[in-house]
Amino acid sequence: MNRREFMQALAFASAGGMSLQSSFANAQSAAQKFYNLPKFGNVHLLHFTDCHAQLLPIYFREPNVNLGIGSQYGKEPHLVGEAFLKANGIKPGTRDAHAFTYLDFAAAAQTYGKMGGFAHMSTLVKQLKASRPGALLLDGGDTWQGSGTALWTNGQDMVDAALNLGVDIMTPHWEMTLGEKRVMEIVQKDFQGKVSFIAQNIKTADFGDQVFSPYTIRNMNGVSVAIIGQAFPYTPIANPRYFTPDWTFGIQEENLQKMIDEVKGKGAKVVVLLSHNGMDVDLKMASRVRGLDAIMGGHTHDGVPIPVKVKNAGGITLVTNAGSNGKFLGVLDFDVKGGKAVDFRYKLLPIFSNLLPADPAMTQLIKKVRAPYETKLAEKLAITEGTLYRRGNFNGSFDQVILDGLLKQKNAEIAFSPGFRWGTSLLPGQAITMENLLDQTAITYPYTTVAPMSGATIKTILEDVADNLFNPDPYYQQGGDMVRVGGLQYTIDPAGSMGSRISEMRLNGELLDANKTYRVAGWAPVSEEAKSAGGEPIWDVIARHLRDVKTVKAVKLNEPIIKGVKGNPGMAAI
């Protein structure tokens, strides 16, 4: 056995749960069994979402803070760590435990390797489609944004990859930050006759006409299957309105019911919503509309292994969410008899890149699209001594690096960084490259800002974001996490009422003065005025900071004091 074969054997042995004394053949066999998913029924749907332009295998740490408040307390998707494992019947210390939780992240990542990667996903998709005649591959959105190459190619790298992967149907969110013109160019040219780009809730601002097809109906093994699209409802609020000035969004619940009734009137026996609402919104929606067999959801990046069964006036709707960053592929099989789905099977498959050989055609495509940028992407900016990640309701260690850089480079007293949920993770000892930094910052509105803000304004900002995250009505939640805060300490009561969740705001130990002005740095402003001001791109600011510090020490998170969460299964201390 040569060195390459030996290293491969080690990878298979570790990931396959085998000891080093086990034979290479047995390790390979264990890996193959992991993806051996028997065919069931006659309607087959494959689903990925929120890959955020990650073409290569990555590390991605799941959150240790994903709070459920009020009626959402202790329910999916608001479970983390050991509570998550127990609820989903997953054994600790296994590769599934690593895929779905933050537990022992660095050590488990070293053992099981990177996850995702379009070349590895492609192999799995082909394997599943071969065993499931007519299977459809659904893309839940947030595909064309999240990497340096996606930014620099205006999303073309991901469009080409999606076509190569065999995507059949797609609904959007961050895609809209490329602007109306670019989105329509892709839909009308690249996707024409190949990918159905659907959204029942995007309409023209003038006459309220559908911008895209609201649904598509396909015949699969003699069964009429309708897929309805649900784009992110709050796109013009969460992202700059100037990207989509001629379109409106919203939840559009009544129109959704109309579309369900319409496709059933056209003979659809299975009706599925391909959604980018976020899990909590999907759960509420499932309780209020009738006629959906399933909602295959995204946006909140929750990996949910067991579908939630939601009762409504029409029966039961399954609600799923397929994680993020290309880590998972959902497989939903329905058995349709007598004109309706009588049974189902669902499996959310973690994609371990060392268990799945890379598809040659996709590998070649990825190499081609990355080639012009490899030198720039590979620039080493610093070394990290600890794990760097972005995920969690209040802060992440890579978020903290960004905050520290803003404070230092912009000579600010307070720094704000958006509560984005995308961004890959780094293990202790890894170099932080320009590519890693762009994984956290690559957006089409990267401008940094420095502005004077009163203590009262700062409180208003924190209250607004807290209500977005913790409003007891999911229809008023926009699915992001709490704005990350540098320099400022505060207390939050997630279960509090609107406008009264935030207290004890302190700077250097002193209470903030509502009437005093503070120097506040931030980035990713949604206003057109901020765009016109043309602030320095965030990646330039943080790259400069990382080059200065050279080594990022173990990061201490600046997190708020959180009231009323003792024992909450959506929060685990580290």
Side-chain angles (χ1 to χ4, degrees), residues 394 489-494 501 503-504 559-565 571:
F394 300 103
Q489 291 77 48
Y490 67 96
T491 296
I492 184 170
D493 180 3
R501 292 185 178 91
S503 62
E504 293 292 316
E559 292 187 298
I561 296 171
I562 310 167
K563 290 184 176 180
V565 294
M571 184 170 183

Side-chain angles (χ1 to χ4, degrees), residues 412-440:
E413 297 172 277
I414 297 169
F416 287 154
S417 186
F420 294 144
R421 292 189 170 187
W422 44 271
T424 56
S425 304
L426 288 171
L427 303 184
Q430 279 193 272
I432 306 171
T433 64
M434 180 58 77
E435 179 164 24
N436 302 141
L437 175 56
L438 288 165
D439 284 349
Q440 318 293 322

Side-chain angles (χ1 to χ4, degrees), residues 358-371:
D359 177 71
M362 184 67 80
T363 298
Q364 190 62 34
L365 172 63
I366 293 170
K367 285 181 179 179
K368 181 181 177 182
V369 299
R370 288 176 57 87

